[in-house]
Amino acid sequence: MVATRRRARIAGVLVGYLADLAVGDPQRGHPVALFGRAASRLERFTYRDSKLAGALHVVLLVGVVAVLGAAATPRGRLRSVVAMAAATWVSLGGTSLARTGLEMCRLLERGDVAAARGLLPSLCGRDPARLDGAGLARAALESVAENTSDAQVAPLLWAAAGGVPAVLAYRGINTLDSMVGYRSPRYARFGWAAARLDDLANYAAARVTAALVVVCAPLVSGSSSAAVRAWWRDAARHPSPNAGVVEAAFAGALGVRLGGPTHYHHELQIRPTLGDGLPPTVADLRRAVALSRAVQAAAALLVGLGVLVGR
């Protein structure tokens, strides 16, 4: 019985991955967007300049999502597969990530810096007004690297490990981190719980992602050994325990140098250098998107192999 449920869960995860690969995110009424709007409205009542208020905000929202996910998990095998596929599909963002990364490449290749600045908020929360073409290419590449873990590998692993409640709770945590997990004056305390919980939720996935980058690097004419070297040498200097791991592995694999001055709307951070090469170009960004897609496919394959190992 347990093995049957596990196979149904993994089947649903893989169907959800294929749905994201085929059509990307829902164009209207995306559940993650609805969750974000609900979180913004709740924040009007829960916000206080304290860690405790922020923790309450996170517990309320993630708890409700997990409970709803558990309640929406049916017993029948076919229904379980469908529910798991739907939850996985809406929790993934790999196809949208790749499309946005390639659109950034097209804009930068034709020199449309203004349009590229307008697109950047779809990838990350940096201040695009302070970035030129080279800065936009670096910001986009770093975001593609980080979100390969956050938007693809982590949801696949959480879905395979814990089913519908787990993957929806993960997506809620990650969404809250993107909304309030900043070191700005408003969110330095209130967003602390969301940021720390997101670090915990992504810890294993970031390292799985880095390992898959090492494996997949030759597919984009990259270096597996350089990916390992940059990962082990540079990742710990990054302020994020997870983003540093993935970004360093991407930098080494692609032979580029990431890090340096990083402008957000609320502050300037001087990030450590990751990798040994030159600053990334648009061509490197294209290779990063290809590497991200390869890692996503490898993660899905890893989930599928989990059924064989279990058997």
Side-chain angles (χ1 to χ4, degrees):
M1 188 65 175
V2 173
T4 300
R5 287 199 298 266
R6 183 187 301 117
R7 287 194 293 271
R9 178 190 300 170
I10 297 302
V13 173
L14 295 179
V15 171
Y17 164 73
L18 293 175
D20 178 68
L21 195 64
V23 300
D25 290 329
Q27 294 301 308
R28 294 183 178 180
H30 197 305
V32 175
L34 297 176
F35 174 84
R37 287 198 287 271
S40 295
R41 290 174 181 172
L42 181 63
E43 186 181 330
R44 300 172 189 172
F45 303 97
T46 57
Y47 180 81
R48 303 288 187 279
D49 189 18
S50 75
K51 292 181 179 179
L52 181 60
L56 176 63
H57 183 73
V58 172
V59 168
L60 286 173
L61 288 163
V62 176
V64 167
V65 168
V67 169
L68 291 176
T73 304
R75 293 184 178 275
R77 184 176 181 180
L78 179 58
R79 292 181 178 180
S80 296
V81 172
V82 172
M84 188 72 257
T88 302
W89 174 43
V90 301
S91 298
L92 293 174
T95 296
S96 293
L97 175 67
R99 288 174 179 171
T100 306
L102 291 177
E103 178 62 18
M104 179 66 76
C105 290
R106 287 189 284 268
L107 293 174
L108 292 176
E109 283 171 344
R110 68 171 185 246
D112 195 345
V113 174
R117 286 171 175 161
L119 182 63
L120 188 66
S122 299
L123 286 170
C124 59
R126 301 184 192 183
D127 183 1
R130 296 177 176 272
L131 299 177
D132 57 8
L136 289 164
R138 187 201 118 199
L141 197 157
E142 290 174 351
S143 181
V144 166
E146 181 179 0
N147 282 293
T148 299
S149 177
D150 289 6
Q152 193 73 14
V153 177
L156 286 173
L157 296 182
W158 277 107
V164 173
V167 71
L168 294 182
Y170 168 76
R171 178 46 61 203
I173 291 167
N174 190 247
T175 302
L176 288 173
D177 177 61
S178 69
M179 295 177 68
V180 303
Y182 296 105
R183 298 176 183 177
S184 64
R186 176 176 173 85
Y187 291 125
R189 294 183 181 86
F190 184 79
W192 178 87
R196 298 292 76 77
L197 189 57
D198 184 72
D199 287 343
L200 182 62
N202 279 295
Y203 188 87
R207 283 141 187 88
V208 171
T209 303
L212 293 177
V213 168
V214 172
V215 173
C216 296
L219 299 177
V220 294
S221 301
S223 170
S224 295
S225 60
V228 172
R229 184 167 58 252
W231 173 7
W232 288 102
R233 185 192 64 199
D234 300 335
R237 301 204 307 262
H238 196 282
S240 168
N242 299 325
V245 169
V246 183
E247 290 179 21
F250 263 77
L254 298 171
V256 298
R257 184 176 72 247
L258 302 177
T262 303
H263 291 274
Y264 292 93
H265 291 284
H266 58 276
E267 68 173 346
L268 167 64
Q269 294 183 8
I270 306 299
R271 296 282 180 84
T273 299
L274 308 174
D276 297 313
L278 296 173
T281 64
V282 178
D284 295 317
L285 178 56
R286 282 193 178 276
R287 292 173 63 218
V289 172
L291 180 57
S292 175
R293 282 178 158 168
V295 168
Q296 293 168 28
L301 178 62
L302 189 65
V303 168
L305 290 175
V307 174
L308 300 179
V309 173
R311 293 177 66 183

